[in-house]
Amino acid sequence: MANKEAEDMRAKSDDELKKRLIELKKSQFNLRFQKASGQLEDTSQFLKVRREIARIKTTLAGRTA
């Protein structure tokens, strides 16, 4: 399944990936506040967002190298 996600990432343009990265960073910020206030129900969502951010950053870094 990870290979499918990697292929999908590589198929997207830099602008699309950067836009998604901004969305994920906002989501991560909101999740942090929910966690701090005790309102976060699905704690695995935090990890999923972190991993997707890492995948996008890795994909973007590989393109510039």
Side-chain angles (χ1 to χ4, degrees):
M1 186 169 172
N3 288 337
K4 176 76 170 129
E5 292 173 5
E7 288 175 22
D8 291 345
M9 286 264 180
R10 283 188 227 113
K12 292 182 180 181
S13 71
D14 284 356
D15 289 337
E16 288 174 319
L17 289 175
K18 288 176 184 176
K19 230 182 254 189
R20 180 68 180 145
L21 184 61
I22 291 169
E23 291 172 8
L24 288 169
K25 289 213 176 226
K26 287 179 184 178
S27 176
Q28 185 182 36
F29 181 78
N30 290 331
L31 287 171
R32 247 188 266 136
F33 268 95
Q34 289 177 10
K35 184 178 178 184
S37 65
Q39 295 177 346
L40 184 63
E41 294 177 12
D42 184 13
T43 54
S44 67
Q45 189 177 7
F46 194 75
L47 182 62
K48 290 175 189 174
V49 168
R50 285 181 54 204
R51 285 187 177 161
E52 191 172 352
I53 288 172
R55 281 189 198 105
I56 290 173
K57 285 184 173 183
T58 302
T59 303
L60 289 170
R63 288 183 182 177
T64 58

